């Protein structure tokens, strides 16, 4: 992902948690925060150490990044998204991750049909 499409700073994560709208399913929690004057979306990922070792956490992050890359045409621009993985995401393959992310984004009404 390009640098301008990532959320890295703790302050930006905290702003999304406090002011953003959250929606979730069993595998993921997504916080969405509309940003004025931003014509692209940004993604922040959080995978806790409780989920597994470094290999597992990095695999989940790769799957989520690729899923977002494939869904970027349908995703509403002008928002910041913080995606938090839950424990069941550790046992999922790429297609299950993509399906679950699509579902949670549709629940939050940020995915265009």
């Amino acid at each position: 992902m390009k640098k301008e499409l990532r959320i890295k700073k703790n302050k930006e994560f905290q702003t999304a948690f406090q002011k953003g709208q959250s929606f979730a399913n069993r595998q993921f929690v997504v916080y969405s925060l509309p940003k004025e004057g931003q014509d692209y979306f940004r993604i922040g990922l959080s995978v806790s150490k409780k989920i597994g070792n470094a290999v597992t956490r990095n695999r989940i992050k790769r799957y989520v990044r690729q899923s977002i890359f494939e869904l970027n045409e349908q995703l509403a621009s002008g928002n910041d998204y913080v995606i938090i993985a839950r424990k069941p995401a550790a046992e999922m393959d790429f297609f299950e991750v993509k399906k679950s992310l699509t579902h949670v984004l549709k629940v939050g009404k940020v995915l265009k049909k």
Side-chain angles (χ1 to χ4, degrees):
M1 290 176 69
K2 294 179 182 173
K3 219 171 210 179
E4 63 266 11
L5 300 180
R6 288 183 287 185
I7 300 174
K8 293 295 258 182
K9 295 194 166 118
N10 186 33
K11 187 175 181 180
E12 294 171 337
F13 275 92
Q14 296 306 322
T15 305
F17 293 147
Q18 291 164 2
K19 297 182 181 175
Q21 180 185 9
S22 69
F23 29 94
N25 61 10
R26 290 182 182 267
Q27 295 86 14
F28 296 101
V29 180
V30 178
Y31 287 86
S32 174
L33 179 67
K35 299 286 268 193
E36 293 295 322
Q38 182 174 292
D39 56 344
Y40 52 88
F41 64 86
R42 298 190 312 161
I43 297 291
L45 298 176
S46 176
V47 184
S48 172
K49 284 188 177 182
K50 293 178 185 176
I51 290 179
N53 61 8
V55 175
T56 305
R57 294 193 308 269
N58 288 333
R59 181 174 358 99
I60 293 169
K61 287 188 273 189
R62 278 197 316 272
Y63 288 169
V64 170
R65 279 191 209 106
Q66 184 62 32
S67 299
I68 294 297
F69 179 75
E70 291 181 9
L71 293 171
N72 70 354
E73 296 296 321
Q74 301 169 328
L75 208 54
S77 59
N79 288 352
D80 281 357
Y81 299 103
V82 176
I83 301 170
I84 302 170
R86 289 181 168 171
K87 193 93 169 162
E91 284 88 39
M92 298 169 72
D93 66 3
F94 171 71
F95 299 105
E96 292 172 326
V97 168
K98 185 175 177 184
K99 184 177 176 185
S100 179
L101 265 179
T102 305
H103 171 261
V104 76
L105 292 170
K106 281 182 182 173
V107 166
K109 297 181 176 80
V110 294
L111 202 61
K112 301 171 194 164
K113 302 258 174 178

